[in-house]
Amino acid sequence: MIRSRAYLLIGILALLLFTACGQQYEAKSLVKDFVKEHATEELDITDFSDLDSTKVISDSLFLVLQQNAAKDPLFKGVDFNGKKASSPLLYIRMNYKKDTLELSKTFYFDKDLSAIIAFK
């Protein structure tokens, strides 16, 4: 009986691990597609942070993030179509090189990880 519970627990933990890896892969894929579509220059992406979540971004700050993103000279044609923040927001940081500088951008996703809804 104890052994069957241990197997069940191991199976559940393995399933959670594979789900988290799938979300990480999906987030990276969304960012790479976004960069390919909207970047004004070719970016040398060096690394990504782990996908994480936050609840500390208010609606007003989220709106400012969207407005600033639309003015970012690194990306063109960015339109978030009034996408709203959902709690919690998921985010990932993309590190890239520009000339000799190491820079980063943080991309925010809705909780379903279906689209990028802001970045800074």
Side-chain angles (χ1 to χ4, degrees):
M1 177 112 166
I2 292 174
R3 188 172 275 177
S4 64
R5 286 184 185 172
Y7 289 133
L8 179 64
L9 181 62
I10 290 170
I12 290 171
L13 290 175
L15 182 63
L16 290 174
L17 177 66
F18 289 128
T19 302
C21 291
Q23 286 183 325
Q24 179 79 16
Y25 177 80
E26 182 66 26
K28 286 180 184 180
S29 179
L30 284 170
V31 170
K32 287 177 182 178
D33 291 345
F34 181 88
V35 168
K36 187 182 287 186
E37 183 178 343
H38 296 287
T40 57
E41 60 189 75
E42 189 157 335
L43 298 180
D44 180 15
I45 299 172
T46 58
D47 194 19
F48 286 94
S49 68
D50 289 337
L51 184 66
D52 206 349
S53 63
T54 182
K55 294 182 181 181
V56 297
I57 296 182
S58 67
D59 290 339
S60 59
L61 179 57
F62 182 76
L63 191 58
V64 170
L65 284 174
Q66 286 182 328
Q67 291 168 350
N68 289 343
K71 299 174 191 173
D72 191 324
L74 190 59
F75 297 103
K76 67 178 181 331
V78 176
D79 184 15
F80 295 110
N81 296 323
K83 292 180 180 164
K84 303 284 185 194
S86 58
S87 186
L89 281 176
L90 298 175
Y91 69 93
I92 193 168
R93 178 169 289 118
M94 173 191 79
N95 299 314
Y96 65 99
K97 283 186 179 179
K98 184 174 180 180
D99 299 325
T100 58
L101 299 174
E102 287 281 338
L103 304 167
S104 68
K105 291 281 182 188
T106 303
F107 293 87
Y108 295 91
F109 310 92
D110 56 6
K111 64 182 175 185
D112 299 326
L113 204 61
S114 61
I116 293 172
I117 56 176
F119 68 88
K120 67 173 181 177

